[in-house]
Amino acid sequence: MKEKKDLSEQIESFTNKIAKPLSKFAAIPGVAAAIEGISANMNLIIIGGVFMILYVLSSAYATGTENAILPFLTPYGSNVSQVNSFTLGMIGLLASISIASKYAEKVKVDHTTSVVLSFVVFMILSNWGVVDGTLSTANFGSKGLIVAMFSSVLSIKVYKWFIDRKITIKLPASVPPAIANSFIALIPSFVIITFCWILRNLMNIDIVSVIYGLLGPVFDASETVPFAGLEGLLYSLFWSVGIHGGNMISPITQAVTNTFLSENAAALASGVSLTALPHWYNGARVGVTFINYWPLLIFMAFSKCKEFKVMAPAMIIPACFNITEPLFFGLPLILNPFLMIPCIITQVMTHLIFAVSAASGFIATKVAISVPWALPFPLQQLIGFSGDMKIFLVDILVLALCTLIWYPFWKAFEKKELEKEALLEIQ
């Protein structure tokens, strides 16, 4: 007779089944390069966010007030917003370079050739033509992000196919490598560039419109309360068995959230107020992934168990900067039969409450900047929501509910650990 698994074993088994295909997907060189390449631009996204904050502070209509918060910056408002336009507003163009760089490393082809070829292919495929004598940059931002992934992988795959089959122009060994590499890349570059030019210009296929037409339902579904709950569920399920939840779901969420963030920033720069920006979903994610663990840390700090009292300070300090590993691996939360269930319940509940608050308009201010993940969550929210204090009312509700959920599970766990501690003292 097959032995029946307990609840924690069932959760572990279910999560491992999900993790296996997702891990394989994330390990595909093209997918891994896309994730790493987009992440490589995070410094520019954050810098763009800083300048967007300055723009908000310098603009009366952005905050919906009569006067700018920092009126001395008002004369420089449009110049300040340009930095955001050249960073987050160019995320697609930048990604075509960074993704190509990462992918070239993984498939071991010439780095410089790959990056330049990907850039040219992206420019051709995302081209909207010349408008009033000016090259249109409409697809250089978040709209071009998926095209950047496509162009990087496609151009380098074709380039490698020709190289592997030696369908290249060979020059004598005495020719300098820089020149020889240019001629080696000539045939594959001509083929892929000509193909993309025919696709975009002679056949008039707008790759951006085609991709977004296919992915439209995905983007629509992602900005919903159930999607937020699903994100929280997957995040906590993976972490509860020792798999980094953020890394596992980022291939799904990153393209969506970067697109929403870029469109919000573009709308804000064009004169739309913070309360009328098109997307609320990014606001449902600011500070959401760690707030539900704070009641547990407080319980540890005031526990009768000596081990927990010693561990608490070592976990609280990194927790202030949203670093979860000490708690998950140190307490541990991972595979903990007492704490796995509240870990999952509180994470899903937290995602849902933040999503409902943003979707319903209770938190009217939308998020248009990328906030560094390592900032303490109150500071994250203060910056992300441009000082909208209503978010802290949501925090209070979440903390209160999480405390109620964690408490009975914690007491059962603490009791068991105290019994172990008492036995050790007797021995």
Side-chain angles (χ1 to χ4, degrees):
M1 184 176 176
K2 193 174 181 181
E3 186 179 349
K4 188 177 180 180
K5 295 180 180 179
D6 63 28
L7 187 57
S8 63
E9 290 174 331
Q10 290 177 26
I11 292 173
E12 181 184 3
S13 175
F14 173 71
T15 307
N16 285 333
K17 285 178 182 177
I18 300 174
K20 195 171 183 180
L22 281 177
S23 297
K24 286 183 178 179
F25 175 71
I28 296 171
V31 176
I35 297 169
E36 293 171 18
I38 294 171
S39 298
N41 295 315
M42 191 54 64
N43 60 326
L44 299 177
I45 294 173
I46 292 172
I47 291 168
V50 170
F51 277 84
M52 182 54 74
I53 292 171
L54 294 175
Y55 172 71
V56 169
L57 296 175
S58 71
S59 171
Y61 66 77
T63 56
T65 58
E66 292 183 4
N67 300 302
I69 297 172
L70 296 179
F72 68 90
L73 284 175
T74 301
Y76 310 102
S78 60
N79 293 328
V80 168
S81 68
Q82 285 179 3
V83 177
N84 184 267
S85 299
F86 294 144
T87 50
L88 184 57
M90 293 283 182
I91 189 64
L93 180 63
L94 295 170
S96 73
I97 298 169
S98 57
I99 294 173
S101 174
K102 296 293 182 181
Y103 191 51
E105 290 175 7
K106 293 181 184 300
V107 298
K108 295 178 172 56
V109 292
D110 185 71
H111 182 268
T112 304
T113 301
S114 299
V115 169
V116 173
L117 182 58
S118 172
F119 172 79
V120 173
V121 170
F122 173 82
M123 293 292 287
I124 293 171
L125 292 178
S126 63
N127 178 31
W128 264 18
V130 177
V131 180
D132 296 328
T134 305
L135 180 68
S136 173
T137 60
N139 291 331
F140 289 1
S142 61
K143 276 191 173 181
L145 195 56
I146 297 177
V147 178
M149 301 177 196
F150 174 74
S151 64
S152 300
V153 174
L154 173 67
S155 57
I156 294 173
K157 269 190 174 295
V158 172
Y159 171 51
K160 188 176 188 304
W161 188 89
F162 276 86
I163 297 296
D164 290 345
R165 287 157 183 77
K166 295 182 169 47
I167 308 175
T168 60
I169 297 174
K170 296 179 182 178
L171 296 180
S174 58
V175 176
I179 297 174
N181 285 336
S182 295
F183 277 89
I184 288 171
L186 185 58
I187 293 175
S189 298
F190 178 80
V191 170
I192 186 61
I193 288 172
T194 302
F195 170 76
C196 291
W197 178 81
I198 292 171
L199 200 67
R200 182 67 189 94
N201 292 277
L202 297 187
M203 299 177 68
N204 200 29
I205 296 175
D206 184 352
I207 301 297
V208 176
S209 298
V210 170
I211 290 175
Y212 274 82
L214 294 172
L215 294 179
V218 176
F219 280 84
D220 291 341
S222 65
E223 196 164 31
T224 61
V225 172
F227 183 85
L230 177 62
E231 184 179 348
L233 176 63
L234 292 175
Y235 181 90
S236 55
L237 276 173
F238 285 125
W239 265 121
S240 67
V241 294
I243 302 170
H244 195 296
N247 288 348
M248 291 303 296
I249 64 175
S250 64
I252 303 167
T253 60
Q254 202 168 42
V256 172
T257 53
N258 281 346
T259 297
F260 289 165
L261 187 68
S262 182
E263 290 179 3
N264 275 1
L268 184 63
S270 68
V272 178
S273 71
L274 283 166
T275 57
L277 299 179
H279 301 292
W280 58 261
Y281 193 72
N282 289 69
R285 305 177 85 247
V286 176
V288 71
T289 54
F290 201 82
I291 184 174
N292 61 302
Y293 300 114
W294 274 100
L296 191 59
L297 291 168
I298 301 303
F299 292 155
M300 288 180 66
F302 291 95
S303 175
K304 294 177 183 178
C305 181
K306 294 175 184 177
E307 183 183 1
F308 294 152
K309 274 185 173 293
V310 172
M311 292 167 64
M315 294 180 180
I316 287 173
I317 293 171
C320 290
F321 301 96
N322 301 312
I323 298 171
T324 59
E325 283 80 356
L327 179 61
F328 277 99
F329 294 101
L331 184 58
L333 279 178
I334 292 167
L335 299 177
N336 188 316
F338 291 92
L339 302 179
M340 283 174 70
I341 302 304
C343 173
I344 295 167
I345 293 172
T346 56
Q347 189 66 239
V348 173
M349 181 196 70
T350 301
H351 273 76
L352 289 173
I353 290 174
F354 273 84
V356 169
S357 300
S360 66
F362 177 76
I363 306 297
T365 303
K366 309 289 176 50
V367 173
I369 60 173
S370 177
V371 185
W373 66 269
L375 284 179
F377 77 85
L379 190 56
Q380 276 189 359
Q381 294 169 334
L382 196 64
I383 295 172
F385 289 98
S386 303
D388 191 334
M389 305 302 284
K390 280 187 178 179
I391 188 63
F392 297 125
L393 296 177
V394 181
D395 290 342
I396 293 169
L397 173 64
V398 168
L399 286 169
L401 291 174
C402 287
T403 300
L404 292 173
I405 293 170
W406 278 112
Y407 186 74
F409 293 94
W410 167 257
K411 294 306 289 184
F413 177 55
E414 183 186 41
K415 182 181 178 182
K416 189 174 180 64
E417 293 302 309
L418 283 170
E419 290 171 355
K420 288 182 182 177
E421 199 172 82
L423 284 172
L424 287 173
E425 287 178 357
I426 293 171
Q427 294 172 358

